[in-house]
Amino acid sequence: MEEILELLKQNARLSVEDISAMTKKSVDEVKSIIKELEENGTILKYVTVVNPEKSGSDRKVCAEIELQVTPERERGFDAVVDRIYRFPQVRSLYLMSGANYDLKVVIEGETFQSICDFVARKLATLQGVRGTATHFIMRTYKENDIVY
């Protein structure tokens, strides 16, 4: 399983036949393993990574927001996290350790102002949020092992 997962992480477009040849497993065995990985939630999604500088589409503005949060009794950070990840602007959400903040939220918007409005009107006003710090991403050089 691990070998197949690693191959798919490197290139999700590999055919079952290619994976079979690379792993020395039968085509049926590879199909079965991939189906199991999809059904048990190990493989969540197949994606295409696009270089925004070359795609020709309008570039989105991205920012990382640091949030200081008061955890709720019984639910800890999960209560506020459940509210945050539902916003369509939120691309990633992390619980952090060893920092001056608790959560890191990566968001995407049409403009700098739309991100400012989102932070001021949506994130900062959530129950349990004590403070925010916004860092705009000016340029991406490498992301998820891909050099742009």
Side-chain angles (χ1 to χ4, degrees):
M1 277 192 182
E2 289 299 317
E3 187 178 17
I4 292 172
L5 272 177
E6 195 57 40
L7 288 169
L8 288 172
K9 285 192 315 190
Q10 294 300 315
N11 182 358
R13 293 186 69 189
L14 285 173
S15 69
V16 172
E17 292 76 17
D18 288 341
I19 295 170
S20 171
M22 296 165 93
T23 61
K24 306 218 180 342
K25 294 182 183 337
S26 72
V27 170
D28 288 339
E29 189 177 2
V30 170
K31 284 180 184 178
S32 174
I33 290 170
I34 291 173
K35 182 178 180 184
E36 180 183 342
L37 292 168
E38 291 169 344
E39 288 176 352
N40 73 19
T42 301
I43 294 177
L44 298 173
K45 184 177 181 179
Y46 298 93
V47 298
T48 300
V49 179
V50 177
N51 184 338
E53 293 182 11
K54 295 187 178 196
S55 70
S57 60
D58 291 336
R59 290 188 67 193
K60 302 280 186 176
V61 178
C62 293
E64 290 186 359
I65 305 4
E66 299 171 357
L67 293 178
Q68 293 175 327
V69 178
T70 302
E72 288 186 15
R73 185 179 306 269
E74 306 292 326
R75 294 206 55 215
F77 293 104
D78 291 347
V80 71
V81 164
D82 288 345
R83 292 189 292 270
I84 293 171
Y85 73 69
R86 296 180 194 283
F87 290 113
Q89 296 90 333
V90 174
R91 296 292 171 251
S92 301
L93 177 57
Y94 307 95
L95 177 62
M96 305 300 291
S97 70
N100 294 326
Y101 56 97
D102 305 301
L103 301 174
K104 179 172 85 169
V105 184
V106 179
I107 65 170
E108 189 175 83
E110 299 295 324
T111 64
F112 284 100
Q113 189 59 51
S114 68
I115 288 179
C116 293
D117 291 344
F118 174 76
V119 172
R121 294 191 175 125
K122 302 289 185 183
L123 287 182
T125 60
L126 285 174
Q127 180 179 349
V129 173
R130 296 188 329 264
T132 67
T134 301
H135 307 277
F136 286 98
I137 299 171
M138 305 301 288
R139 183 171 186 191
T140 301
Y141 293 99
K142 182 177 179 179
E143 185 174 48
N144 297 321
D145 292 331
I146 298 169
V147 176
Y148 286 84

